[in-house]
């Protein structure tokens, strides 16, 4: 490894970064969609949305697990010169890189309400729920293996996402006390006490 090390971002934090915006955009769009009868009527729209929510959450949560598992199994120990990126920086980078996509998804979910009330919003919320589920799954694996998984920042895409994309060759691993995020990417509750 080159002297000076690499910038590393937490894998679970990158996965989790899109969960809250997708969830809340979806919930707001679904709520606004209930106000319009649409072409299908509210009841059919909400039932279709509920089905889409379940499918989206399942697909988003399960997609890529085999790749995450393979990369995690082959994780090398992070070097002493590697720089661990703060959770807030990772989240901010992802959200800035995806802000226009999120806006278009929100507007699309609102527009879908003209046809099927709440369906588009619940689909978007399901994607957010799936990301929460995937981050929680990564967190369980981190606890079982007693490591935290990190990815090189320069291997993420230009929007700060895709922690298991083709550009990612391997993960790095640290002990569970490293960084400012708990296993699964949530904010570490004891960080304030330790400061």
């Amino acid at each position: 490894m080159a002297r000076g090390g690499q910038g590393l971002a937490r894998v679970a934090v990158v996965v989790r970064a899109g969960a809250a915006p997708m969830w809340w955009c979806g919930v707001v769009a679904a709520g606004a969609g209930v106000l319009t009868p649409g072409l299908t009527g509210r009841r059919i729209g909400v039932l279709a949305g509920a089905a889409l929510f379940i499918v989206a959450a399942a697909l988003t949560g399960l997609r890529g697990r085999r790749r995450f598992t393979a990369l995690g199994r082959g994780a090398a120990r992070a070097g002493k010169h590697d720089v661990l990126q703060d959770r807030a920086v990772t989240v901010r980078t992802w959200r800035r890189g995806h802000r226009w996509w999120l806006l278009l998804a929100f507007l699309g979910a609102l527009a879908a309400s003209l046809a099927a009330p709440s369906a588009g919003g619940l689909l978007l919320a399901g994607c957010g729920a799936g990301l929460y589920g995937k981050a929680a799954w990564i967190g369980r694996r981190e606890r079982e293996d007693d490591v935290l998984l990190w990815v090189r920042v320069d291997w993420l895409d230009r929007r700060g996402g895709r922690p298991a994309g083709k550009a990612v060759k391997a993960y790095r691993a640290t002990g569970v006390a490293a960084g400012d995020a708990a296993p699964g990417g949530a904010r570490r509750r004891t960080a304030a006490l330790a400061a």
Side-chain angles (χ1 to χ4, degrees), residues 21-189:
M22 285 187 194
W23 170 261
W24 287 112
C25 285
V27 167
V28 171
V34 172
L35 302 176
T36 61
L39 298 176
T40 62
R42 287 187 187 92
R43 184 169 180 269
I44 293 174
V46 171
L47 288 174
L52 287 172
F53 178 92
I54 293 168
V55 171
L59 290 177
T60 305
L62 295 174
R63 183 174 171 264
R65 283 194 179 192
R66 193 174 298 167
R67 173 93 169 130
F68 280 101
T69 301
L71 289 167
R73 197 177 293 126
R77 267 318 222 193
K80 65 178 181 179
H81 297 292
D82 287 333
V83 178
L84 306 181
Q85 185 168 274
D86 289 344
R87 179 186 183 278
V89 174
T90 303
V91 170
R92 188 169 55 244
T93 301
W94 191 98
R95 291 182 181 171
R96 279 184 183 165
H98 291 82
R99 64 187 179 275
W100 297 114
W101 183 91
L102 289 167
L103 177 62
L104 289 173
F106 176 69
L107 294 175
L110 283 177
S113 294
L114 298 175
S118 298
L122 288 172
L123 173 65
L124 188 56
C127 291
L131 289 177
Y132 275 125
K134 186 183 288 186
W137 171 77
I138 293 170
R140 284 193 298 276
R141 290 190 59 85
E142 288 177 326
R143 285 188 193 92
E144 286 169 9
D145 298 338
D146 202 30
V147 297
L148 298 180
L149 297 174
W150 302 78
V151 60
R152 279 176 47 172
V153 173
D154 59 330
W155 283 348
L156 297 174
D157 69 11
R158 59 189 177 86
R159 292 185 302 273
R162 297 187 55 80
K166 290 181 181 178
V168 178
K169 310 287 190 298
Y171 288 157
R172 302 274 174 87
T174 64
V176 292
D180 62 346
R187 194 175 287 116
R188 198 181 289 275
R189 291 179 184 172

